[in-house]
Amino acid sequence: MNTTPYYHPIGREIHVFEHAYAKKIPLLLKGPTGTGKSRFVEFMAHKLQKNLITISCHEETSSTDLIGRYIIKGAETIWLDGPLTTALKSGAILYLDELAEARPDVVVVIHSLTDHRRELYIDKLGSTLKAHKDFMLVASYNPGYQRGFKEIKPSTKQRFVAIAFDFPSPTIEIQILINESNIEQAIAKKLVQIGNKIRNLTELGLTESVSTRLLVDAAKLIQSGLPKRLAVQVAVIEPLSDDREIVSAMRDLADLMI
Ligand code: ADP
């Protein structure tokens, strides 16, 4: 089997996942982008030795994309299972990344799967599919980013057990940077300090703050030989804002620190 994805636990999430999996209770991972939600699911699927099927939801994602559709092949019309149907039949872990982005009919589908019956009615086939005993549903969403426009309804949220993800403590984040990029400890420490400094500058009004992902990218660029300040600028600062004043404020601050 291929190597275990690297994942550094932040709290008791591995424990929670294992028990939720044992009881097949759907799991919701909530938190800002780049805080390790997807990596965690990859890690858990590997640990539990289950196949993982990931769907990155966007505003066009519909229940048809998940369930399947008829396609025309030569003179024939054949049914093609979608990823959800495949996961249900094979007992895989299905990860719906950014669930709040998907169209409302996706949520309807989820409702039928998250109660005790664990079954899916496929109207195009006129049949009901029972989930394989190993099937589990995991979804993620980003409450900060979604605020105000795309929310997951409380009635949907209540069908899940939820784990909150946030930026790791400096000690853990330094460890993640070193593991992901092979960078020296002193540089990892500096990057995490810069990250935390910007995270604390709430007056910048950033929609999304510095994620671990951005710090990992900066570390990788430095490890590859890019000058440190430039790496921080392109990997951490520019992706966060298009406002030149805010960018320049963050840049001055980072330049002072590295
Ligand atoms: P999300 O799904 O929350 O947007 P990801 O799982 O894609 O975030 O994480 C982005 C990157 O950050 C990963 O590729 C990895 O390099 C790093 N990362 C973040 N948190 C962790 C963690 N706890 N353990 C290992 N890597 C992490």
Side-chain angles (χ1 to χ4, degrees):
M1 211 166 178
N2 44 9
T3 51
T4 314
Y6 165 70
Y7 178 72
H8 195 307
I10 309 296
R12 305 199 63 196
E13 66 276 26
I14 297 179
H15 229 68
V16 174
F17 195 117
E18 282 171 338
H19 287 280
Y21 185 75
K23 296 293 171 194
K24 302 300 173 320
I25 302 173
L27 193 61
L28 185 63
L29 312 178
K30 47 182 196 170
T33 183
T35 45
K37 300 184 292 300
S38 305
R39 182 63 68 86
F40 172 58
V41 181
E42 282 168 37
F43 170 81
M44 289 309 302
H46 196 276
K47 191 169 166 44
L48 297 165
Q49 305 203 332
K50 298 292 161 217
N51 278 334
L52 173 66
I53 299 179
T54 297
I55 301 166
S56 300
C57 300
H58 52 81
E59 62 268 29
E60 297 297 324
T61 307
S62 67
S63 57
T64 305
D65 296 324
L66 263 56
I67 296 171
R69 49 166 58 88
Y70 279 109
I71 58 159
I72 296 168
K73 203 170 181 193
E76 276 183 287
T77 309
I78 57 167
W79 171 260
L80 205 63
D81 281 345
L84 169 62
T85 310
T86 306
L88 277 172
K89 285 182 180 172
S90 65
I93 295 175
L94 181 78
Y95 179 43
L96 298 176
D97 196 7
E98 295 290 356
L99 174 61
E101 292 288 323
R103 289 193 356 198
D105 57 332
V106 168
V107 174
V108 176
V109 169
I110 285 173
H111 278 215
S112 79
L113 276 171
T114 47
D115 60 29
H116 64 283
R117 290 167 300 164
R118 287 179 32 102
E119 59 187 30
L120 173 70
Y121 177 66
I122 306 180
D123 61 348
K124 290 193 183 108
L125 297 178
S127 61
T128 301
L129 181 64
K130 264 229 172 286
H132 185 290
K133 65 173 181 32
D134 291 346
F135 168 80
M136 181 186 180
L137 180 67
V138 183
S140 78
Y141 98 111
N142 181 344
Y145 166 67
Q146 304 299 344
R147 196 176 302 135
F149 65 117
K150 271 186 171 173
E151 275 276 1
I152 296 183
K153 281 195 294 185
S155 58
T156 306
K157 278 191 211 159
Q158 290 206 15
R159 292 169 172 268
F160 292 84
V161 163
I163 304 177
F165 279 67
D166 210 339
F167 308 121
S169 69
T171 320
I172 293 179
E173 199 162 38
I174 291 169
Q175 207 51 54
I176 294 172
L177 261 55
I178 295 172
N179 258 285
E180 290 286 279
S181 69
N182 272 325
I183 202 141
E184 286 165 42
Q185 163 125 19
I187 302 176
K189 199 170 163 192
K190 272 271 171 276
L191 288 173
V192 168
Q193 277 170 354
I194 292 174
N196 281 318
K197 194 86 183 171
I198 298 177
R199 284 168 190 160
N200 289 330
L201 290 178
T202 43
E203 62 271 28
L204 294 180
L206 301 170
T207 335
E208 288 274 299
S209 198
V210 183
S211 67
T212 305
R213 178 190 290 124
L214 296 187
L215 296 179
V216 167
D217 288 346
K220 284 180 177 166
L221 293 176
I222 294 171
Q223 215 277 335
S224 155
L226 202 68
K228 296 186 198 77
R229 286 184 178 174
L230 182 56
V232 168
Q233 186 193 331
V234 298
V236 180
I237 295 172
E238 292 291 351
L240 286 180
S241 176
D242 299 321
D243 181 313
R244 297 325 296 168
E245 269 181 40
I246 292 176
V247 165
S248 118
M250 288 194 281
R251 218 176 131 174
D252 291 347
L253 184 119
D255 286 354
L256 274 177
M257 296 179 72
I258 203 158

